[in-house]
Amino acid sequence: MAIEQAFNSSIDYYDNWMKKALPNYSDIFKTAQEIIPFTSDNPINVLDLGAGTGLFSKHILERYPHAHFILYDLADKMLDVAKERFKSYPKQFEYIIGDYRNFQISSQFDLVISSLSIHHLTDNEKSNLFHTIYSKLRSPGLFMNIDQIRADTHYLRKLYWDHWLKQVRQQELLENQIQDSINRRETYDQDALMSDQLQWLSEAGFVNVDCIYKNYFVGVFHAMKE
């Protein structure tokens, strides 16, 4: 099954799943909101890569009500959910169905965001994408990536995994939803070490590169273009 089909098949429960299955969901997105350097009345241009149902863009919109967004994703049905979510903002949102590994957009952006998507790429594709994102940012600009992190050792990887399974089962999520997530992870995920991700961002030209927040296998990555 193609990755877009796998995610399209989860639209009925995806948002609820994310809020319950992502470790410290509220803290992660609160942190993301807090570290954006622009004033809240600024009509910034935002590119959301792997936007899915628009959850990350929703949190950005809460702080930047005048922002303009382009949501980019392979999964058309996921974007349909986003379109419904933002139907009250027809002039502020655009949607592109496509593979962002090869995206060609003439616009420049103040903020590029991505949430739990880039880990599906190979390491070389991640590095290349970071270079492309850098070229599409204005100066100053910010790239913020909420994504999975591969632990350095087998012991830590098992620790992360066992913690996650315990958490989702305590949330009383349906077992078939848990299994769907496990299947997607085993089939499509290509997590990278935190040190590698930070290095690729720096090599792309970004400064003030850091993993601002980390909870087990999920981190909030911060990278600026001066």
Side-chain angles (χ1 to χ4, degrees):
M1 181 185 299
I3 190 169
E4 62 269 26
Q5 294 173 313
F7 279 94
N8 277 338
S9 68
S10 71
I11 58 171
D12 291 339
Y13 63 85
Y14 184 80
D15 283 4
N16 181 60
W17 167 263
M18 287 290 291
K19 291 173 182 177
K20 291 185 176 181
L22 185 62
N24 285 21
Y25 175 96
S26 296
D27 285 349
I28 287 170
F29 285 97
K30 183 174 183 291
T31 299
Q33 287 178 323
E34 291 174 345
I35 62 178
I36 302 172
F38 310 111
T39 57
S40 59
D41 60 347
N42 196 322
I44 59 173
N45 286 336
V46 182
L47 173 63
D48 188 345
L49 297 175
T53 63
L55 274 177
F56 200 174
S57 286
K58 169 184 174 291
H59 290 289
I60 302 302
L61 181 65
E62 289 171 355
R63 185 176 171 195
Y64 295 92
H66 306 295
H68 179 270
F69 294 80
I70 294 179
L71 275 58
Y72 206 115
D73 202 289
L74 266 176
D76 58 331
K77 290 183 173 57
M78 298 282 276
L79 284 181
D80 285 343
V81 176
K83 290 175 185 178
E84 179 65 21
R85 183 193 301 280
F86 300 120
K87 65 182 179 181
S88 299
Y89 307 88
K91 295 182 179 180
Q92 290 178 245
F93 283 83
E94 298 178 47
Y95 307 90
I96 298 176
I97 300 170
D99 187 339
Y100 61 68
R101 288 175 296 183
N102 305 303
F103 80 88
Q104 295 182 352
I105 301 176
S106 59
S107 304
Q108 294 289 112
F109 300 91
D110 304 289
L111 176 65
V112 177
I113 61 174
S114 187
S115 174
L116 297 169
S117 178
I118 294 175
H119 66 272
H120 297 133
L121 308 186
T122 66
D123 289 354
N124 190 55
E125 288 170 340
K126 293 183 184 77
S127 177
N128 289 338
L129 178 64
F130 294 164
H131 280 82
T132 303
I133 291 170
Y134 184 86
S135 72
K136 293 299 178 182
L137 277 170
R138 295 190 177 113
S139 298
L142 175 66
F143 171 45
M144 188 161 42
N145 183 28
I146 298 172
D147 213 354
Q148 294 179 186
I149 297 168
R150 179 178 172 83
D152 289 89
T153 67
H154 174 75
Y155 175 88
L156 289 173
R157 289 192 290 274
K158 185 175 186 305
L159 178 70
Y160 292 178
W161 181 249
D162 290 347
H163 172 266
W164 181 79
L165 278 176
K166 180 180 178 181
Q167 173 182 289
V168 294
R169 290 194 165 118
Q170 286 176 339
Q171 294 285 341
E172 298 182 351
L173 292 162
L174 296 177
E175 190 62 33
N176 69 299
Q177 296 176 7
I178 296 173
Q179 191 57 52
D180 284 347
S181 180
I182 291 172
N183 291 341
R184 289 195 300 269
R185 182 171 179 80
E186 291 176 345
T187 305
Y188 305 111
D189 289 9
Q190 303 187 68
D191 299 354
L193 299 175
M194 181 178 6
S195 57
D196 286 340
Q197 296 185 63
L198 296 173
Q199 180 180 337
W200 298 329
L201 289 166
S202 295
E203 290 173 349
F206 288 102
V207 298
N208 299 316
V209 172
D210 196 8
C211 182
I212 298 288
Y213 175 98
K214 181 177 180 294
N215 185 284
Y216 288 83
F217 65 91
V218 177
V220 179
F221 290 88
H222 173 283
M224 297 189 71
K225 181 176 182 178
E226 289 185 326

